[in-house]
C-alpha cells in the first residue's frame, strides 16, 4: 500500500514512522513534511491551506490512501477535493471538520446529541461578552470561535483580561464563546470512525501551558503521556458511549458523516465528564505518545475508517508500558518564535535506547544544517515499562539536544502534576 501523509508537524512525523513500520505499507510520501520527515521518506512541496493543490498532488501520486494530519486543510475542504478524484482519505469533509472549525457549531451539535459539555454563550458584541462573563463569574473562560492553533482560549481570574481577549477577537470580526469553568483533570481520547462505527485508541494527557506548574500562556501543547494510570477503569467506554457515539450519529443524521479521528478533549469534573473541545484530527503532542505504544498495523485502521469498514476491522493492540513526549519549543514560543537556529545533538539523542526524536518546526538551511523553522521544533518521545521509566528516557535524550534559546517543560508526566491542574 502507498500512503500520502499531508502535514509538517511532529504528529505527521509520528504517523510517517508508524506507517513505515507497517509491513503492508510499501511506500510513504509526505507533503510538505519537514527536515526530519524528509530524511525518512520522499516529500513534495504543498501549501496545506490550498485544497485544490492537495488534490492535484494526490491525483498525480495516486496513492492508495491519503492521511490528512492538520486541521487547516480539513476545515478548508482538502478531504472533499481529494475524494472527488476517487482516492480514499482518512480525514473528515469540510462540513464535518466544522466540529473543530467552529466552537459554536460544536456546541450546537453537542446540544442536539445530548453530549455533556460546559454551558456556553455565543457572543457577537462587547455587551453580550460582558453580560456572559458576569453570568458565569470567575474563573473566566473566553474562546475565539474559529481555528487558533490552540492559542485562542483564555482562562483567567482577571475579568479585564477576559474582556480584553474577547474584545480583541470580536474586533477582528470574529465570534466569541464564553463558557462555564470546568474543574478536574483533562483527558484526550482519539476515536477513529468511518462515520458510524467508533474505535477508541489509548487515552492520553496533554500539557497545554507553556511553563512548568501549568503556568504561562496556552500553547499548541508542550508534552503528553499515555496511558493514564490514574484514570477510572471504564473511562474509555464511558467516553465512547456518552460522547463519541452520540456525536458520530448526530453528524451522520445531519447528512455530514464524520470520517477520520474525532479528538475528544474532556474534563473529568466533580460533576462527571464534560467535553472541553472537539478536534477533527489527531492531537499533537498526544498522538506521538499514543502511536509509540501501538503494536498492530496502523494502515489497516486508517484505511478501514476511510472506506467505511471499521465495523469489521481488528481493534488496535497496544504494547505494555508507557510513552512520554516532551516538546522542545523555539525561543519566544508561543508569542514570537525565533527561526533559523541550528539544532544540534540529534544523533546522540535518537540513539538513547527507547527514545525517538520527531521533527516539527525544522528545515535545512543553505549550509545543509538542520535549523529551527517553527514554534514547536521537536518532540522527544521516551518509552519504557512504566511512566517514570519512559519519562527518564525522554529527558535523557532531550538533554543531549542543543538549540540556542529553546525551552521545554521539565514536569511532563511528573507524578505530582499528572492528573491535576491548578
Ligand atoms: P480548547 O482549545 O477549547 O481545548 O481550550 C484550550 C485549553 O483551555 C483546554 O485544554 C483547557 O485547559 C482550557 N479550557 C478550555 N475550556 C475550558 C473550560 N470550560 N474550563 C476550564 N478550562 C478550559
Ligand atoms: N493537543 C492539543 C491539540 O492537538 O489541539
Amino acid at each position: 500500500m502507498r500512503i500520502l501523509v499531508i502535514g509538517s508537524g511532529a504528529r505527521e512525523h509520528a504517523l510517517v514512522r508508524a506507517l513505515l513500520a507497517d509491513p503492508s505499507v510499501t511506500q510513504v510520501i509526505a507533503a510538505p513534511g519537514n527536515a526530519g520527515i524528509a530524511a525518512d521518506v520522499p516529500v513534495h512541496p504543498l501549501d496545506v491551506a490550498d485544497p485544490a493543490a492537495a488534490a492535484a498532488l494526490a491525483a498525480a501520486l495516486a496513492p492508495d490512501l491519503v492521511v490528512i494530519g492538520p486541521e487547516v486543510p480539513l476545515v478548508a475542504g482538502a478531504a472533499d477535493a481529494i475524494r472527488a478524484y476517487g482516492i480514499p482519505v482518512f480525514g473528515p469533509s469540510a462540513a464535518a471538520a466544522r466540529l473543530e472549525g467552529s466552537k459554536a457549531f460544536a456546541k450546537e451539535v453537542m446540544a442536539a446529541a445530548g453530549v455533556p459539555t460546559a454551558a456556553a454563550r455565543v457572543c457577537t458584541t462587547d455587551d453580550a461578552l460582558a453580560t456572559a462573563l458576569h453570568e458565569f463569574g470567575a474563573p473566566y473562560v473566553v474562546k475565539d470561535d474559529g481555528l487558533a492553533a490552540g492559542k485562542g482560549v483564555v482562562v483567567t481570574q482577571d475579568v479585564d483580561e477576559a474582556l480584553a481577549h474577547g474584545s480583541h477577537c470580536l474586533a477582528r470580526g470574529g465570534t466569541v464563546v464564553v463558557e462555564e469553568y470546568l474543574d478536574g483533570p483533562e483527558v484526550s481520547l482519539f476515536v477513529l470512525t468511518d462515520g458510524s462505527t467508533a474505535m477508541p485508541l489509548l487515552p492520553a494527557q496533554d500539557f497545554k501551558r507553556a511553563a512548568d506548574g501549568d503556568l504561562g500562556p496556552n500553547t499548541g501543547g508542550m508534552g503528553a503521556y499515555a496511558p493514564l494510570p490514574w484514570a477510572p477503569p471504564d473511562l474509555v467506554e464511558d467516553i465512547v458511549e456518552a460522547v463519541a457515539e452520540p456525536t458520530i450519529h448526530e453528524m451522520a443524521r445531519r447528512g455530514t458523516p464524520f470520517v477520520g479521528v474525532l479528538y475528544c478533549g474532556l474534563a473529568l469534573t466533580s460533576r462527571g465528564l464534560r467535553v472541553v473541545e472537539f478536534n477533527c484530527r489527531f492531537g499533537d503532542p498526544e498522538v506521538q505518545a499514543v502511536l509509540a505504544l501501538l503494536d498492530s498495523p496502523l494502515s489497516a485502521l486508517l484505511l478501514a475508517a476511510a472506506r467505511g469498514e471499521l465495523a469489521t476491522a481488528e481493534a488496535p493492540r497496544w504494547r505494555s508500558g508507557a510513552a512520554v513526549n516532551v516538546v522542545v519549543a523555539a525561543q519566544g514560543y508561543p508569542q514570537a518564535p525565533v527561526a533559523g537556529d541550528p539544532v544540534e545533538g540529534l544523533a546522540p539523542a535518537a540513539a538513547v535506547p527507547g527514545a525517538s526524536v520527531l521533527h516539527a518546526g525544522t528545515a535545512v538551511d543553505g549550509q545543509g544544517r538542520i535549523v529551527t523553522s517553527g514554534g514547536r521544533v521537536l518532540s522527544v518521545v521516551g518509552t519504557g515499562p512504566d511512566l517514570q521509566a519512559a519519562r527518564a528516557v525522554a529527558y535523557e535524550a532531550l538533554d543531549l539536544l542543543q538549540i540556542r534559546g529553546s525551552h521545554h517543560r521539565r514536569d511532563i508526566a511528573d507524578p505530582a502534576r499528572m492528573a491535576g491542574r491548578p
Side-chain angles (χ1 to χ4, degrees), residues 116-135:
T117 185
R121 302 283 173 267
V122 178
C123 306
T124 53
T125 64
D126 283 313
D127 278 352
L129 169 69
T131 306
L133 289 174
H134 180 71
E135 179 190 350

Side-chain angles (χ1 to χ4, degrees), residues 11 188 206 208 220-221 263 277 279 281-286:
R11 163 183 49 216
S188 303
D206 179 12
K208 287 209 165 87
Y263 166 139
E277 63 167 342
N279 292 318
R281 36 79 196 173
F282 288 114
D284 182 340
E286 299 98 306

